[in-house]
Amino acid sequence: MKLLRFGAAGSERPGLVDESGTIRDLSSIVDDIGRDTLSNATLQRLRKIDPSTLPSVDGSTRLGPPVADVRHFIAVGLNYTDHAIETNAPIPAEPVVFSKAPSSIVGPNDNILMPPNSEKLDWEAEIAVVIGEHAFGLSEEQALSVVAGYLICHDVSERDDQLHRSGQWIKGKSAPSFGPLGPWLVTADEVPDPQNINLWLTVNGLTMQSGTTAKMIFSFRYLISYISRFMSLEPGDVITTGTPHGVGLGMKPPVFLKPGDVVELGANGLGRQQQTVVLRR
């Protein structure tokens, strides 16, 4: 099942994508796609609905982030060996965990707002998981049982703020629009092997990233279990799991985004995103 949210920013409505690719309005069934609708029990109830009985939605309608009111946006850094090498960082012995501000989350095709003084705006295509059940202290064997689904995350990064502001990465990861999610949330039952997802990213049509979750240093199971040792995971939490090689910072010389650039990214089975970089006024 592919769940999404559509409509103007701040006024999104819940929906799903049927087998023909048509968006269907779910607002008569649930109020939104968020903490109260991501449990296994509720998702099972939604699977029983005949999509043809739901109103269709114009395909040109804006898509919002697929999950509403995210309270915790957790990120993992340096989780692909080739990415750590390209950025001259040591291979981590344990997951590098940091946060992105939930206020950075936008829809999959919304503009990237470049901060006025930014000179090192960078891209990172990632696969994220959305938590559907309360969890703390999970074993690796239990970890995937709390996943509601998977989606694409663009972990937009301002490298100067990330790397040269006392080492607190959240500073370079949290500006408005730095967390495009979507286009939809693919429920876990439709992703039988999350360690076999190919992902890619282009800038102005030129391929910059092409990787696979098979090359993650720490698997989805391990990351969810590991993070749950330190904090309670709650429905609606988003964990984005790192990027493969090909970021602008790792190029020689480095290449960074500028106003007017168009970024596209996608993953097999999870859809695609497209953003245009515009200068934030």
Side-chain angles (χ1 to χ4, degrees), residues 74 97 131 134-140 142-143 146 221-234 239:
I74 306 163
V97 180
I131 301 300
H134 292 275
F136 182 73
L138 295 172
S139 68
E140 286 187 57
Q142 298 169 317
V146 302
R221 285 183 182 276
Y222 186 88
L223 290 174
I224 295 167
S225 171
Y226 179 86
I227 293 169
S228 79
R229 300 178 199 174
F230 307 103
M231 65 191 78
S232 291
L233 297 175
E234 300 181 345
I239 303 174

Side-chain angles (χ1 to χ4, degrees), residues 6-127:
F6 63 91
S11 301
E12 292 94 345
R13 299 170 68 175
L16 58 77
V17 182
D18 68 17
E19 292 185 356
S20 71
T22 300
I23 298 172
R24 299 285 180 168
D25 188 340
L26 265 176
S27 58
S28 64
I29 309 296
V30 293
D31 292 333
D32 211 337
I33 306 299
R35 295 187 294 270
D36 296 333
T37 53
L38 292 170
S39 68
N40 289 327
T42 301
L43 293 179
Q44 188 60 32
R45 178 166 63 89
L46 293 180
R47 290 187 188 98
K48 297 178 180 179
I49 296 169
D50 179 357
S52 67
T53 64
L54 302 173
S56 62
V57 177
D58 189 325
S60 64
T61 302
R62 171 188 175 270
L63 298 182
V67 182
D69 299 324
V70 174
R71 289 192 284 191
H72 203 175
F73 193 3
I74 306 163
V76 177
L78 305 174
N79 196 29
Y80 290 73
T81 301
D82 48 10
H83 174 56
I85 292 171
E86 73 174 345
T87 56
N88 297 313
I91 307 301
E94 293 191 35
V96 176
V97 180
F98 60 97
S99 288
K100 290 173 71 76
S103 57
S104 70
I105 294 172
V106 292
N109 304 313
D110 291 342
N111 290 336
I112 295 172
L113 305 180
M114 182 176 184
N117 298 319
S118 172
E119 295 182 354
K120 297 180 179 179
L121 189 67
D122 207 348
W123 56 83
E124 293 192 15
E126 306 196 1
I127 307 301

Side-chain angles (χ1 to χ4, degrees), residues 191-227:
V191 186
D193 184 6
Q195 299 302 155
N196 187 31
I197 300 173
N198 298 323
L199 63 163
W200 55 269
L201 180 145
T202 68
V203 178
N204 300 326
L206 181 64
T207 297
M208 299 296 189
Q209 292 187 279
S210 179
T212 172
T213 57
K215 294 186 178 181
M216 286 167 57
I217 297 171
F218 303 106
S219 68
F220 289 98
R221 285 183 182 276
Y222 186 88
L223 290 174
I224 295 167
S225 171
Y226 179 86
I227 293 169

